[in-house]
Amino acid sequence: MQNTLRLLDIMARLRDPETGCPWDVQQDFASLVPYTLEEAYEVADAAERGDPEDLREELGDLLLQVVFHARIAEERGLFGFDDVAGAIADKLVRRHPHVFGGVVFDSDEARQRSWEASKQAERQEKGKAAPAPSVLDGLTDSLPALMAAQKLQKRAARHGFDWPEIGPVFDKVREELLELEEAQAAGDPGPIREEIGDLLFVVVNLARHFDVDAESALRDGNRKFSQRFRYIEERVAALGKTLDETTLAEMDALWDEAKRWGTRS
């Protein structure tokens, strides 16, 4: 608690219009969004790498974003940090009646239905329920696209809209890839963009059927690509050349070399 109060006091001083930091004073909710998203992803990266020291630091950076937003809100008379903490505490108690209310669920499915019903009730209380209720209500457009796709598919699958086995998902991947090739042959950029979206969506579905988080898998792929490409850069530099002076065949051979040496995350 002492460190929490200290952190809140530090943020208040940073935001002081007379004696604070000019950069901190200039920020608002919208300007902080890129930093908030970046810190959330850095928390995810540290957690996936299993680095507890880095995770502790990144969680602190993410907490700073929460404190920053809360401070701006408090200055505007909207809410404060204690209101944020109180709201999530109330929500946790409300959504866990089996822990805090003595309710007994017969199955995980019953518990999940209770969770979704609680969320729907919260949306209706806030006046945010859609005019025509949908099982997809509450999924925000601000999520990263891969994460949103996986959540949409999971929500629909809970209500029976899903393939019972993985074979048809592979067939759907092949179908979307063929449609993309047909769009390319037609030379119209509009359908090409649409078919790429369809292909990415069904690949996320494939990941879901393998119980793989698509967002995390792609981050792993990005990390692997980065490490292998850096290996290529190092080897090319050791040969006294630049990437622009290196042929694709030479870089491809170095890529295979990087794979053999296991330069991956």
Side-chain angles (χ1 to χ4, degrees):
M1 177 62 92
Q2 181 178 356
N3 282 331
T4 301
L5 295 175
R6 177 170 174 249
L7 176 59
L8 293 173
D9 180 64
I10 290 171
M11 177 50 63
R13 293 182 62 182
L14 289 172
R15 287 281 299 177
D16 187 290
E18 300 296 331
T19 60
C21 169
W23 185 89
D24 290 278
V25 172
Q26 292 170 4
Q27 302 313 305
D28 58 22
F29 294 135
S31 69
L32 290 177
V33 168
Y35 304 103
T36 305
L37 291 174
E38 180 180 347
E39 297 301 348
Y41 277 111
E42 290 182 356
V43 166
D45 177 66
E48 289 171 349
R49 288 187 284 105
D51 186 334
E53 289 191 10
D54 200 17
L55 178 59
R56 175 179 58 80
E57 181 176 347
E58 297 301 344
L59 284 170
D61 291 343
L62 183 57
L63 177 60
L64 170 61
Q65 295 300 309
V66 177
V67 169
F68 212 148
H69 282 281
R71 178 62 195 180
I72 294 173
E74 185 174 351
E75 293 168 357
R76 299 182 183 184
L78 302 174
F79 57 82
F81 180 81
D82 191 62
D83 299 308
V84 174
I88 188 59
D90 291 344
K91 181 183 292 186
L92 287 171
V93 171
R94 186 169 57 248
R95 292 190 181 179
H96 293 82
H98 51 300
V99 177
F100 301 103
V103 175
V104 177
F105 294 121
D106 296 332
S107 64
D108 286 342
E109 290 75 14
R111 178 184 53 76
Q112 185 63 43
R113 285 195 299 271
S114 173
W115 177 276
E116 294 298 337
S118 176
K119 291 175 65 176
Q120 179 64 20
E122 291 165 6
R123 289 192 293 270
Q124 290 176 340
E125 185 178 343
K126 295 177 181 178
K128 292 184 178 180
S134 167
V135 298
L136 303 180
D137 285 346
L139 295 179
T140 174
D141 291 335
S142 63
L143 289 173
L146 288 180
M147 187 184 299
Q150 195 148 332
K151 284 182 176 290
L152 287 168
Q153 294 168 9
K154 284 183 177 179
R155 187 73 65 84
R158 291 195 200 113
H159 297 269
F161 192 73
D162 194 16
W163 284 291
E165 54 190 29
I166 202 167
V169 188
F170 277 110
D171 293 337
K172 190 64 176 175
V173 171
R174 297 183 187 99
E175 176 187 328
E176 296 297 349
L177 186 58
L178 179 60
E179 290 179 1
L180 177 57
E181 291 174 343
E182 292 172 349
Q184 181 199 23
D188 189 338
I192 290 175
R193 185 178 188 277
E194 180 179 348
E195 295 302 338
I196 287 178
D198 291 345
L199 179 60
L200 288 171
F201 191 84
V202 75
V203 169
V204 171
N205 207 352
L206 186 66
R208 185 177 60 85
H209 275 264
F210 277 115
D211 198 26
V212 169
D213 181 77
E215 190 79 21
S216 297
L218 183 56
R219 282 201 299 272
D220 289 343
N222 291 342
R223 193 179 301 120
K224 183 191 299 182
F225 177 87
S226 178
Q227 291 181 349
R228 289 179 178 176
F229 192 80
R230 288 176 186 275
Y231 178 88
I232 293 174
E233 289 179 309
E234 292 171 1
R235 293 287 290 113
V236 167
L239 295 172
K241 301 169 64 176
T242 66
L243 291 177
D244 292 338
E245 297 169 338
T246 307
T247 66
L248 177 59
E250 290 171 328
M251 286 191 283
D252 197 43
L254 290 172
W255 178 271
D256 290 338
E257 185 178 304
K259 290 173 63 176
R260 288 195 299 272
W261 280 97
T263 51
R264 63 181 67 191
S265 58

